[in-house]
């Protein structure tokens, strides 16, 4: 494809953000791991890397001046791409200017050792330390992996999640916590209403809004408190950066993908607007972003597409910011005793999740719940089944996979089938290579990778428009194999 339009144009900016002023003096905390790279040296003292050790020792380094180490080169690449989306220096492609959205901001990357025992305590300790630092003027917390090591399928009230507990101090201070909503429909859990939650859509790398489409595997729905998530959508494909990957490639640029990238774009917009309009607070800004966003017509996901041009126009019209209300629902599910017989699928999901956690549900009952009308319940049930126990169940898995319409449930059926598979199932796996669900295509790729010498390999893609093209090689091989037989 041709090089994508600059991200600022795709978000509705009329002109590139000013490299020297956009986000000036606004502190942005990014919860992630970071690696040094020459593309961030221009940030100098405005780039802090805070690490929390197991004994709660805090280290704060100016990572912009460090040289790349010899460790695993891909570790920290996610955080690097986040920083570059916000702050990279201007470069030009096909006559168009690409630049970070808030390059004049102050950036603090907080590495609390995620996915290790004690991560919640380290995150709370590290966040409380960061918030006490003078002169950092922190306005935004970006949390792309909000659920940390919590189970992504089994529902619970959001206040029970370890990350939510760790970030309470930031929420209580009125900071804007921006959070990604997840990349596939495999999960059920979604962020709390207190977080400004960002999902994604497929803008095909183009600024022309009539070309934009829903992302086919995009998660949305109610969280464990009964609140609809996400709040807003941003582009999640072909987010263009200066080349920064460890593995050498021919491309002139790198691409950031997924709702981590989408949430980062919204973070850049927020920093830009906080610096441009000093009277804004997080509640005002949240309201303005939602009120001035564009819906995707005919899409079941209620969240609209962000349009910063509309927001700027609204703010320039001198709307009274002090009267803006936070655009969130106040409805919460009452009580603590959730019934598996409830008519509300979130209530039933909470109850079934508890039964699964307590191992108080039989396999026969799980198969019954796998036929529930709610995709939330079906997802929990198929996840809990884990894998087929015998050949009869295996044939039932294949049957359900072919009949199931919901992407996340399909993903769990495919994941179960990937266990204990064999070469003879290739004619069943390859047709799934065009599935819109990432987890299903990933399972096909993993299956074929087990038999490299026997079968062609499937190249995975995050671009929905390329799914068919990437699958063509394996589909053609299957057709020829059948013709030969």
């Amino acid at each position: 494809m041709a090089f994508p339009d600059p991200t600022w144009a795709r978000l509705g900016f009329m002109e590139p953000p000013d490299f020297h002023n956009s986000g000036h003096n606004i502190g942005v905390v990014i919860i992630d791991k970071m690696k040094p790279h020459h593309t961030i040296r221009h940030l100098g003292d405005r780039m802090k890397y805070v690490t929390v050790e197991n004994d709660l020792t805090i280290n704060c380094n100016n990572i912009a001046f460090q040289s790349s180490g010899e460790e695993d080169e891909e570790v920290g690449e996610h955080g690097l791409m986040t920083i570059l989306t916000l702050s990279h220096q201007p470069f030009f492609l096909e006559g168009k200017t690409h630049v970070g959205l808030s390059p004049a901001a102050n950036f603090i990357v907080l590495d609390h050792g995620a996915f290790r025992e004690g991560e919640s305590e380290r995150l709370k300790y590290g966040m409380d330390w960061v918030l006490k630092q003078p002169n950092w003027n922190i306005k935004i917390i970006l949390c792309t992996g909000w659920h940390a090591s919590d189970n992504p399928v089994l529902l619970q009230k959001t206040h029970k999640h370890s990350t939510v507990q760790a970030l309470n101090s930031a929420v209580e201070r009125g900071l804007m916590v921006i959070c990604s909503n997840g990349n596939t429909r495999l999960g059920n859990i979604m962020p709390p209403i207190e977080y400004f939650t960002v999902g994604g859509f497929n803008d095909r790398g183009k600024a022309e809004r009539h070309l934009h489409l829903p992302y086919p595997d995009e998660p949305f729905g109610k969280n464990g408190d009964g609140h609809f998530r996400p709040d807003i959508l941003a582009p999640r494909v072909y987010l263009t950066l200066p080349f920064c990957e460890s593995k050498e490639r021919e491309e002139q640029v790198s691409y950031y993908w997924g709702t981590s990238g989408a949430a980062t774009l919204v973070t850049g917009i927020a920093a830009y607007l906080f610096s441009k309009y000093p009277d804004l607070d997080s509640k005002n800004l949240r309201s303005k972003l939602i009120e001035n966003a564009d819906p995707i017509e005919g899409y079941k996901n209620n969240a609209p597409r962000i349009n910063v041009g509309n927001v700027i126009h609204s703010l320039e019209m001198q709307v009274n910011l002090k009267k803006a209300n936070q655009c969130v629902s106040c409805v919460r599910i009452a009580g603590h005793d959730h019934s598996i017989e409830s008519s509300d699928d979130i209530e039933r999901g909470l109850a079934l999740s508890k039964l699964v956690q307590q191992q108080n549900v039989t396999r026969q009952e799980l198969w019954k719940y796998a036929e529930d009308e709610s995709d939330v319940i079906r997802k929990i049930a198929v996840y809990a089944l884990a894998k087929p126990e015998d050949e009869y169940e295996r044939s039932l898995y294949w049957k359900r996979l072919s009949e199931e319409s919901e992407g996340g449930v399909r993903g769990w059926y495919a994941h179960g089938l990937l266990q204990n598979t064999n070469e003879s199932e290739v004619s069943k796996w390859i047709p799934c290579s065009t599935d819109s669900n990432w987890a299903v295509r990933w399972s096909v790729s993993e299956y074929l990778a087990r038999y490299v010498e026997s079968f062609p390999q499937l190249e995975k893609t995050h671009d929905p428009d390329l799914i068919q093209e990437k699958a063509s090689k394996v589909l053609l091989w299957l057709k020829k194999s059948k013709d030969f037989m």
Side-chain angles (χ1 to χ4, degrees), residues 204-435:
R204 295 172 158 176
K206 299 296 183 182
E208 294 89 348
R209 301 183 84 79
H210 69 278
L211 298 175
H212 298 172
L213 296 169
Y215 195 83
D217 192 27
E218 188 68 21
F220 59 90
K222 293 179 181 178
N223 65 12
D225 305 321
H227 295 126
F228 182 87
R229 311 272 70 205
D231 294 294
I232 206 160
L233 306 178
R236 60 171 287 175
V237 302
Y238 295 113
L239 308 184
T240 312
L241 305 170
F243 186 82
C244 61
E245 294 162 73
S246 302
K247 296 179 180 177
E248 291 298 326
R249 304 179 191 273
E250 295 181 0
E251 288 88 345
Q252 301 178 43
V253 297
S254 292
Y255 294 122
Y256 199 8
W257 302 87
T259 54
S260 291
T264 302
L265 295 179
V266 174
T267 297
I269 289 172
Y272 167 86
L273 292 172
F274 277 140
S275 64
K276 185 174 176 66
Y277 303 98
D279 290 338
L280 273 177
D281 62 22
S282 62
K283 292 181 180 180
N284 297 137
L285 181 53
R286 180 172 177 154
S287 296
K288 289 295 180 186
L289 290 172
I290 295 173
E291 291 167 5
N292 293 283
D294 304 323
I296 298 179
E297 298 299 331
Y299 188 24
K300 292 181 180 179
N301 187 346
N302 297 334
R305 292 169 295 168
I306 197 163
N307 189 329
V308 69
N310 287 351
V311 177
I312 293 171
H313 177 74
S314 175
L315 292 170
E316 292 294 335
M317 295 297 289
Q318 301 298 316
V319 174
N320 188 346
L321 297 177
K322 294 181 180 180
K323 293 184 179 180
N325 295 314
Q326 189 169 5
C327 189
V328 299
S329 167
C330 295
V331 178
R332 288 187 180 272
I333 295 176
H336 299 282
D337 297 323
H338 308 295
S339 171
I340 195 65
E341 303 298 330
S342 173
S343 60
D344 185 289
D345 63 342
I346 299 301
E347 289 275 1
R348 285 188 287 126
L350 290 164
L352 181 56
S353 296
K354 189 173 183 179
L355 291 173
V356 169
Q357 288 172 323
Q358 296 174 342
Q359 298 183 337
N360 197 21
V361 58
T362 67
R363 194 166 185 85
Q364 183 178 4
E365 288 171 328
L366 288 174
W367 276 111
K368 182 189 74 172
Y369 294 128
E371 298 183 79
D372 195 275
E373 64 181 13
S374 165
D375 59 84
V376 171
I377 302 299
R378 297 199 305 280
K379 215 176 292 183
I380 294 170
V382 180
Y383 163 81
L385 286 168
K387 64 179 182 179
E389 282 199 333
D390 51 36
E391 286 307 309
Y392 170 74
E393 282 199 355
R394 193 163 191 87
S395 65
L396 190 54
Y397 260 67
W398 280 114
K399 182 174 183 292
R400 293 286 179 84
L401 178 60
S402 67
E403 296 173 346
E404 177 62 55
S405 60
E406 204 281 329
V409 184
R410 289 177 58 77
W412 286 117
Y413 275 125
H415 185 267
L417 284 165
L418 191 58
Q419 319 307 311
N420 304 325
T421 192
N422 57 68
E423 286 188 63
S424 66
E425 290 186 323
V426 65
S427 63
K428 295 181 179 179
W429 279 106
I430 285 182
C432 296
S433 60
T434 58
D435 200 286

Side-chain angles (χ1 to χ4, degrees), residues 452-482:
V452 174
E453 296 182 359
S454 302
F455 305 141
Q457 301 300 294
L458 175 64
E459 182 184 350
K460 298 185 291 292
T461 178
H462 295 284
D463 182 351
D465 293 336
L466 293 182
I467 292 174
Q468 191 71 38
E469 177 184 323
K470 298 299 183 183
S472 60
K473 177 183 176 181
V474 294
L475 291 170
L476 180 60
W477 177 91
L478 181 60
K479 181 179 184 302
K480 288 182 176 179
S481 296
K482 288 181 175 180

Side-chain angles (χ1 to χ4, degrees), residues 8-44:
W8 58 264
R10 294 153 61 182
L11 294 166
F13 282 92
M14 295 297 104
E15 58 185 10
D18 187 274
F19 180 73
H20 299 288
N21 294 306
S22 179
H24 178 66
N25 200 37
I26 301 299
V28 180
V29 178
I30 299 163
I31 303 172
D32 210 333
K33 188 177 289 292
M34 179 77 180
K35 74 171 188 176
H37 199 265
H38 66 87
T39 53
I40 62 170
R41 287 177 185 162
H42 64 283
L43 292 175

